Amino acid sequence: MTDAPSLPEPDDLAGATALTDRALDQLGRLLLGQADLHRMVLVGILSRGHILLEGVPGVGKTALIRGLGRVLSLPFGRIQFTPDLMPGDILGTHILQPTATGERQMAFQPGPIFTNILLADEINRASPKTQSALLEAMQERSVTLLGQTRPLPEPFFVMASQNPIELEGTYPLPEAQLDRFLFKLRVTAGDVAVLDEIITTRRRGEPPEPTWTMSADDLARVFAVMDRVYLAKAVSRYIARLVAATHAGAAEATDLVGQYVAYGASPRAAIAMAESARASALLAGRPTVGFEDVRRVAAAVLNHRLILNYKARFDGVDAFRVVDDLLGSLDEAELDLPADVQVAREAGA
Amino acid sequence: MADRQPTHRAAASLRRRILLILALRWTVRLAAAWCFAWGVAVLVCRAVPGMDARPLVWGLAGLAPCAAGAAALAWRRTPSPRAVRAVLDRASRSGGLVMAEAEVALGPWASRVPALAVPAVHWRLKPATLALLAAVAFVVFSFAIPQRFVEITSSRPLQVADEVAALAEQLQVLEEEQILAAEEARSLEQSLKQTAEQAAGEDPAKTWEALDHLQDAVRTAAAVAAETALGQREAAGKAEALARALAAETDGLDAATLAAAMKELGDLLEKAAKDGPPLDDAALKEALADCQAGDLATAECMQLADRLAMAGEILKARLLRLQAVNLIEIDALKLGDGWALDPADLIALLEGQGGDGMEPDLLIQAWLAGVPGRGGISRGRADAPLIQGDASSADGLEFVETVLPPPTVADLKESHLLGVTLGAPSVESGGPGSGGALAPSSAGAGGARTHRVLPKHQPAVMRYFQREGEGAGRPAASP
């Protein structure tokens, strides 16, 4: 994707923003008290990225993804990952079928991955072999079986969930696969008010049916508008500096990075951050990406890509703290002024 | 593409503001550094002897390059227009629209660019300003501080206090003894004081050289004065002895002897008075005149002798004082009365006891010279003069040439080691001598070789036999 030569028209942008607002509103009706999560999930969808949801059981991960599929009017498939799940169970397989002439031939039986939104539930319970079956699908959006490559439906999203507890009998996702997820979002339980509302409005916890769904054309229109959201050079440089600073020893790396980060984020993270920042700007109704968009998506993009060392585990430092430290230390404008000269962050300050 | 838009003006304004602040910052810093360096240079120039610090006032002009350098540095550190726009975008919360304005055509979005207010640029100027003020104060201080506080002085002055004190004491003695004129003494004292003040460890040779010069001057003066005093004292002492002799035997001397004695006394007084005090007072001059007239009475002789004795004591005290301050070194013999004469000896000489018929003036001169005129090898004291008699004549004498026997011992240079033995070496008996004085002897390892006694050896041989004749009574050979 290249920078658009011109900004989206105001009406187009307003229409796209209205659609996304309605989608968010519907998601909010389906899953109460998770507005920020819904926003980030929608940002991930608009960025054509895959999302890894992490949370304890019962916080609504599956409900969110199911509701998203319904709101976006996209075919939805679910795979419950188990240790005995095989790649063929996901990708599909060739079976021997009789033809009309009585002959028998091998026919491809597509797996559940051939859908628009795939819910990979408890993805860390499958064996690495099965997890790896998703690699090509997530990156290339295609499946190759018996030397034949088959494209997946467009758009294709993997919405994976994993349980941070009950780690016995699980297979942590390898870094290569983690890097293919645009976001890793933490799903937390709602507060008292949210729980009270859930109890009083949802019998047996069943979410209501969406009152509005986004059509495929609407989604394509939103994607088209988002492609024209402009990323200014100063912002793209900020993203590049931010990702570069996640590596210990980088020029702008903070002390926290140098102390706790074993491996920093990949260039794929910078790409993901730029795309998700564009989506964030679109949701905000702006034709250009601002620094605040980058700051908003930075933690979701970087937290699963930073590999911290054992010292961080001992000291209780997690990736979110490292990202917060980076966001606080890097000057977005890169003024590079002497320490005793500062420009106010706001006019009139 | 949007150069005429308000955002561009705001960006340019912010950039100028940052440039100005940076230039001011660097100017203050460079000026402070320059002022410190300037002050140090001024202090160094003022501290080093011979260097003039006044031209360093032109160091004020060095602030101009500081300002120019500050402007250059500020220009290099001024943020790029893109960064400035990013700051404006951030400050106005325009969400990237201000940044995008400089890169793409905004189209209908241009009207949605918010009105921009240039954010303030803050500079913590307190430390830099304090540094500059301190530097300026340092420069002012370096120019204003009195010179005596700046001059480099030796932390270790040369320790010449003892030498200076000794010289001062010597000068005082010389001045009090009137050996040095008052003006000359003051000049030397002034030189000594100046040398002591300028004595510095950095150049000790200069100080020591000056002190040596002064020491040489005072020692020379003291030596001359001591020599004069010794001469005066000796003359006075002899004159005193002569005066006492005259006082004792004036009546028993004939006129010629008395006149000769008076004349000698007058010569001594004149000689003593020639070198000044204390032997040039009026009484001694009157006595001198009487002596030259030949009418010095006995009582006057006694008075003269007393006066001369007193003058001698004065001279002795002077010499002792000079010696006490290490100006001169006089042995005890000179300071004592080694030259002292006994008037009784002169009286005895004049009365014909041992004069050997000499004239009175010669007798008096001999007595004054301390040569009694008697004694010899077999008589008198050891200091009696040798009396040369008639010279012996060598007329008619001839040397008889004899041949000495050759030695049998080979020349040591020609010897060589034949062997080493515990017993006595076997020595060949030498051949018989061919004759001569040593022919009968068998000295050493054999007979002497015969050598011809050359004429040039004859005086030595003659002296040898003369010695033998006087000691043993028998010369070995007759000339």
Side-chain angles (χ1 to χ4, degrees):
Chain A
M1 185 184 297
T2 58
D3 290 342
S6 61
L7 304 184
E9 294 298 322
D11 292 341
D12 295 342
L13 182 62
T17 305
L19 289 173
T20 55
D21 285 346
R22 294 192 70 176
L24 287 174
D25 185 54
Q26 291 300 317
L27 286 175
R29 289 182 66 251
L30 295 176
L31 192 64
L32 299 175
Q34 302 282 3
D36 290 340
L37 178 65
H38 299 159
R39 191 176 189 85
M40 290 305 295
V41 168
L42 198 54
V43 165
I45 293 295
L46 296 181
S47 305
R48 296 179 174 87
H50 312 290
I51 298 172
L52 177 62
L53 297 174
E54 187 178 80
V56 295
V59 292
K61 300 187 292 294
T62 306
L64 170 63
I65 296 168
R66 188 187 295 272
L68 183 67
R70 281 191 284 179
V71 169
L72 296 181
S73 302
L74 292 175
F76 168 79
R78 175 183 176 180
I79 304 172
Q80 184 66 44
F81 278 59
T82 57
D84 58 351
L85 189 70
M86 298 301 289
D89 300 333
I90 302 173
L91 304 178
T93 186
H94 289 83
I95 59 175
L96 200 60
Q97 270 191 337
T99 62
T101 58
E103 297 176 349
R104 289 185 296 182
Q105 65 179 14
M106 298 295 289
F108 179 68
Q109 182 65 34
I113 198 171
F114 285 86
T115 183
N116 289 111
I117 298 179
L118 175 68
L119 170 58
D121 212 4
E122 297 192 87
I123 189 173
N124 56 340
R125 294 203 176 275
S127 65
K129 180 180 179 181
T130 308
Q131 291 175 359
S132 298
L134 285 175
L135 286 175
E136 183 191 2
M138 293 173 71
Q139 183 62 31
E140 308 295 337
R141 287 180 163 79
S142 62
V143 171
T144 301
L145 282 172
L146 297 178
Q148 187 175 358
T149 300
R150 293 179 175 82
L152 294 173
E154 186 67 27
F156 174 72
F157 306 106
V158 174
M159 301 286 151
S161 70
Q162 70 177 7
N163 188 350
I165 60 174
E166 297 178 6
L167 296 178
E168 188 174 357
T170 62
Y171 301 92
L173 292 175
E175 280 72 22
Q177 185 142 10
L178 276 178
D179 198 35
R180 280 167 169 76
F181 285 103
L182 180 79
F183 290 160
K184 178 183 173 185
L185 301 175
R186 283 183 174 175
V187 184
T188 57
D191 56 12
V192 173
V194 171
L195 292 175
D196 185 32
E197 189 175 357
I198 290 173
I199 294 168
T200 53
T201 59
R202 310 283 166 86
R203 292 298 302 272
R204 293 183 296 277
E206 294 176 354
E209 287 296 321
T211 58
W212 173 86
T213 59
M214 185 184 292
S215 66
D217 291 340
D218 290 340
L219 186 59
R221 197 160 56 244
V222 173
F223 280 140
V225 172
M226 195 201 126
D227 287 344
R228 297 178 65 185
V229 172
Y230 185 72
L231 182 70
K233 289 175 181 169
V235 180
S236 66
R237 181 164 177 82
Y238 177 55
I239 293 172
R241 289 168 54 220
L242 199 59
V243 172
T246 61
H247 294 266
E252 293 186 284
T254 62
D255 292 339
L256 213 60
V257 170
Q259 197 172 358
Y260 295 118
V261 177
Y263 298 97
S266 64
R268 187 180 283 143
I271 297 169
M273 197 178 297
E275 288 305 309
S276 55
R278 277 193 173 98
S280 175
L282 185 144
L283 290 185
R286 284 184 278 104
T288 55
V289 179
F291 293 119
E292 62 270 27
D293 298 316
V294 177
R295 299 171 72 89
R296 188 172 293 135
V297 301
V301 172
L302 292 176
N303 77 90
H304 60 293
R305 291 183 163 97
L306 297 184
I307 301 174
L308 307 184
N309 53 25
Y310 282 100
K311 193 171 189 303
R313 191 175 299 175
F314 294 150
D315 293 345
V317 175
D318 59 7
F320 290 99
R321 187 175 159 192
V322 174
V323 174
D324 284 345
D325 181 56
L326 278 173
L327 292 175
S329 65
L330 255 64
D331 177 32
E332 303 99 324
E334 199 181 6
L335 284 176
D336 192 23
L337 293 175
D340 55 345
V341 178
Q342 290 180 336
V343 179
R345 294 186 69 85
E346 295 182 6
Chain B
M1 69 182 59
D3 287 351
R4 292 173 299 279
Q5 293 180 352
T7 51
H8 178 75
R9 288 197 296 272
S13 172
L14 177 58
R15 197 156 183 262
R16 278 196 304 271
R17 196 174 295 183
I18 293 174
L19 175 64
L20 183 65
I21 293 289
L22 289 177
L24 194 59
R25 173 185 183 273
W26 281 109
T27 301
V28 169
R29 290 193 165 213
L30 291 179
W34 169 251
C35 285
F36 274 117
W38 184 18
V40 170
V42 170
L43 286 178
V44 169
C45 284
R46 293 187 64 188
V48 175
M51 290 190 70
D52 190 4
R54 282 173 296 183
L56 289 181
V57 174
W58 289 102
L60 189 64
L63 294 178
C66 287
L73 287 170
W75 182 257
R76 290 184 59 185
R77 290 295 295 269
T78 303
S80 64
R82 182 193 300 171
V84 172
R85 274 188 174 270
V87 171
L88 289 174
D89 190 283
R90 182 179 65 190
S92 62
R93 300 174 184 273
S94 65
L97 212 52
V98 173
M99 290 183 282
E101 185 182 25
E103 300 171 9
V104 295
L106 292 185
W109 293 100
S111 60
R112 304 195 184 190
V113 175
L116 299 178
V118 178
V121 182
H122 300 289
W123 170 40
R124 282 189 283 114
L125 74 163
K126 192 174 179 181
T129 307
L130 287 178
L132 178 61
L133 291 176
V136 171
F138 179 60
V139 170
V140 173
F141 168 78
S142 64
F143 275 109
I145 185 173
Q147 184 66 26
R148 66 178 183 277
F149 295 123
V150 184
E151 286 178 349
I152 295 176
T153 56
S154 171
S155 57
R156 294 184 302 167
L158 198 61
Q159 296 296 326
V160 293
D162 293 343
E163 287 78 3
V164 169
L167 266 173
E169 186 181 9
Q170 290 170 349
L171 276 173
Q172 186 181 2
V173 169
L174 292 177
E175 188 178 5
E176 288 175 359
E177 293 293 340
Q178 297 180 347
I179 296 172
L180 288 178
E183 187 176 350
E184 185 181 3
R186 276 197 300 276
S187 174
L188 289 174
E189 285 174 355
Q190 187 66 27
S191 298
L192 179 61
K193 183 179 178 184
Q194 189 175 356
T195 302
E197 288 175 352
Q198 295 178 354
E202 282 77 10
D203 191 9
K206 180 181 176 183
T207 303
W208 289 120
E209 191 175 343
L211 287 175
D212 286 346
H213 173 72
L214 290 171
Q215 190 116 34
D216 185 58
V218 297
R219 280 183 181 275
T220 302
V224 170
E227 195 66 27
T228 303
L230 284 172
Q232 279 186 303
R233 187 159 179 264
E234 183 175 351
K238 290 179 178 178
E240 177 198 350
L242 184 55
R244 292 194 187 282
L246 289 175
E249 281 295 320
T250 305
D251 297 337
L253 299 177
D254 56 10
T257 303
L258 186 60
M262 286 296 177
K263 181 179 180 300
E264 288 299 328
L265 181 58
D267 291 345
L268 288 171
L269 289 176
E270 188 176 7
K271 180 182 176 185
K274 182 181 65 179
D275 292 328
L279 295 172
D280 60 347
D281 59 355
L284 287 174
K285 286 180 179 176
E286 185 180 352
L288 172 61
D290 292 341
C291 286
Q292 289 172 344
D295 57 351
L296 195 64
T298 302
E300 290 173 339
C301 285
M302 283 302 295
Q303 290 177 354
L304 176 60
D306 292 341
R307 283 183 176 279
L308 289 172
M310 189 181 303
E313 291 301 318
I314 292 172
L315 289 170
K316 184 177 180 180
R318 174 184 292 178
L319 290 169
L320 288 173
R321 197 173 180 195
L322 292 177
Q323 190 178 30
V325 294
N326 295 322
L327 277 173
I328 58 172
E329 292 179 359
I330 303 175
D331 56 14
L333 187 62
K334 285 186 177 178
L335 271 180
D337 295 332
W339 42 265
L341 300 173
D342 188 0
D345 291 343
L346 178 61
I347 293 169
L349 284 173
L350 292 176
E351 288 176 350
Q353 300 174 8
D356 293 336
M358 293 175 66
E359 292 296 326
D361 55 345
L362 293 178
L363 278 174
I364 294 171
Q365 287 175 8
W367 175 73
L368 290 173
V371 181
R374 59 177 183 271
I377 295 175
S378 59
R379 65 181 187 280
R381 303 185 308 192
D383 60 347
L386 290 174
I387 297 174
Q388 303 292 336
D390 294 335
S392 60
S393 174
D395 294 342
L397 295 179
E398 290 183 359
F399 283 94
V400 176
E401 295 183 357
T402 57
V403 178
L404 298 174
T408 58
V409 179
D411 190 356
L412 189 61
K413 292 181 180 176
E414 298 174 358
S415 65
H416 58 277
L417 182 64
L418 294 177
V420 179
T421 177
L422 293 175
S426 58
V427 179
E428 295 179 358
S429 60
S434 59
L438 300 179
S441 65
S442 58
R449 291 185 184 279
T450 57
H451 284 291
R452 182 181 296 274
V453 178
L454 299 175
K456 62 182 181 181
H457 297 145
Q458 287 174 356
V461 175
M462 186 178 66
R463 285 196 299 277
Y464 174 78
F465 287 111
Q466 281 180 343
R467 181 183 61 79
E468 287 293 320
E470 288 180 2
R474 185 186 64 83
S478 299

